Amino acid sequence: MFKRTKSKKGRRSPLATVSLIVVGLMTTGGAYALFSSTANADDNTSTAVAASSQSDVNEGQKLFASNCATCHGLSAQGTSEGPSLIGVGAASVDFQVGTGRMPMAAQGPQAEEKPAQFTDQQVKALAAYVASLGPGPSVPSSDLTDGKTGNAAQGAELFRINCAMCHNVAGAGGALTEGKYAPNLHSVSGKHIYEAMVTGPQNMPVFNDLNLSPQQKADIITYLKYVQDNKSPGGFALGSIGPVAEGLFIWIFGLGAVVAMTVWLTAKSN
């Protein structure tokens, strides 16, 4: 009888159980909200162009209406002539317009790089306007694109795994199907390389922060800048077109020269 009474007094109040459940739910919910906001910030480098002023957005809207709306629609919703730009982010506009790919000179399999038709300030304004329409990748900071903050050795390995099958191991570019091609990267700025990785222009896949972290992207840029700034240690690189083509070159011209010399010496001796 004594033990039964003691056990009854030691039982927890029903309110204690409810309180523990409430505390647990609040803790779990708060942690999930914090994790979600952090992950979203990593995936979309920016949900708008926060650093841009409203005047940039207004100026960009005017430029867009007079130069881009014919293909992309007055509200950038897209038409039969061009895709929707809502949600592509400032990085996509900075890449496409900053490299002269947009506006396109003519419809074709691929937008080709050409001299930019807008000033840097105008490109910034266009990017600010498009970024204000929906969340998307922002223009990267210079510390990730200057080619000095990454590891060139790690960047070379990442480039061989993810990029070399199209762009060549030395970034010399290569042909694709249906008239398309992977461009030469020897003269591309680090900023545009980074923007291409996060936006996936043309046939290029998107490398978001879950595929390649910002530091890994910086490593790749550092490797490409190293290739740009350092000449081939073997002398004439033949455009860095690869060992098969280089071997074929030696086989045809080198061996051909030997045969020609042999024929000439034989004819001279006779």
Side-chain angles (χ1 to χ4, degrees):
M1 189 70 178
F2 174 77
K3 291 182 179 180
R4 185 177 300 174
T5 304
K6 184 178 181 180
S7 176
K8 185 175 182 179
K9 290 183 178 180
R11 292 178 181 175
R12 294 179 179 176
S13 171
L15 293 177
T17 303
V18 174
S19 300
L20 288 173
I21 293 175
V22 171
V23 171
L25 290 174
M26 292 179 63
T27 302
T28 304
Y32 178 78
L34 179 62
F35 174 79
S36 298
S37 61
T38 304
N40 186 59
D42 290 338
D43 287 341
N44 294 321
T45 313
S46 173
T47 57
V49 184
S52 300
S53 64
Q54 187 60 40
S55 62
D56 286 334
V57 175
N58 295 338
E59 178 63 22
Q61 186 174 14
K62 295 177 183 178
L63 289 168
F64 186 90
S66 58
N67 296 277
C68 314
T70 302
C71 294
H72 296 286
L74 284 174
S75 300
Q77 77 278 10
T79 69
S80 59
E81 300 296 326
S84 170
L85 300 182
I86 298 174
V88 301
S92 181
V93 177
D94 188 81
F95 174 81
Q96 297 286 356
V97 181
T99 60
R101 287 177 166 85
M102 292 291 163
M104 291 181 69
Q107 291 289 346
Q110 183 165 322
E112 297 184 2
E113 183 178 4
K114 59 185 184 295
Q117 299 186 31
F118 297 91
T119 65
D120 291 343
Q121 181 58 39
Q122 289 174 326
V123 173
K124 179 183 176 183
L126 279 169
Y129 168 65
V130 172
S132 70
L133 302 176
S138 67
V139 176
S141 59
S142 59
D143 60 335
L144 293 172
T145 62
D146 59 8
K148 300 177 181 178
T149 58
N151 185 306
Q154 293 181 9
E157 182 178 358
L158 289 168
F159 188 85
R160 286 193 296 269
I161 294 172
N162 297 281
C163 317
M165 65 285 295
C166 293
H167 289 282
N168 176 284
V169 71
L176 301 175
T177 60
E178 300 179 351
K180 301 173 183 178
Y181 61 92
N184 186 309
L185 302 178
H186 288 171
S187 60
V188 183
S189 69
K191 180 179 72 168
H192 289 150
I193 293 173
Y194 194 105
E195 289 170 343
M197 284 191 279
V198 297
T199 61
Q202 309 293 340
N203 295 284
M204 185 171 172
V206 174
F207 294 97
N208 60 30
D209 290 349
L210 297 179
N211 302 126
L212 292 173
S213 69
Q215 183 57 51
Q216 288 176 320
K217 294 183 181 74
D219 292 341
I220 290 176
I221 293 172
T222 300
Y223 163 67
L224 290 173
K225 290 299 178 183
Y226 175 85
V227 173
Q228 291 177 13
D229 298 336
N230 293 272
K231 295 182 179 180
S232 172
F236 186 45
L238 298 176
S240 300
I241 52 181
V244 174
E246 291 169 0
L248 183 62
F249 180 89
I250 294 298
W251 179 263
I252 294 175
F253 293 96
L255 187 59
V258 171
V259 172
M261 181 63 69
T262 303
V263 172
W264 180 76
L265 290 173
T266 302
K268 187 177 181 180
S269 63
N270 292 333

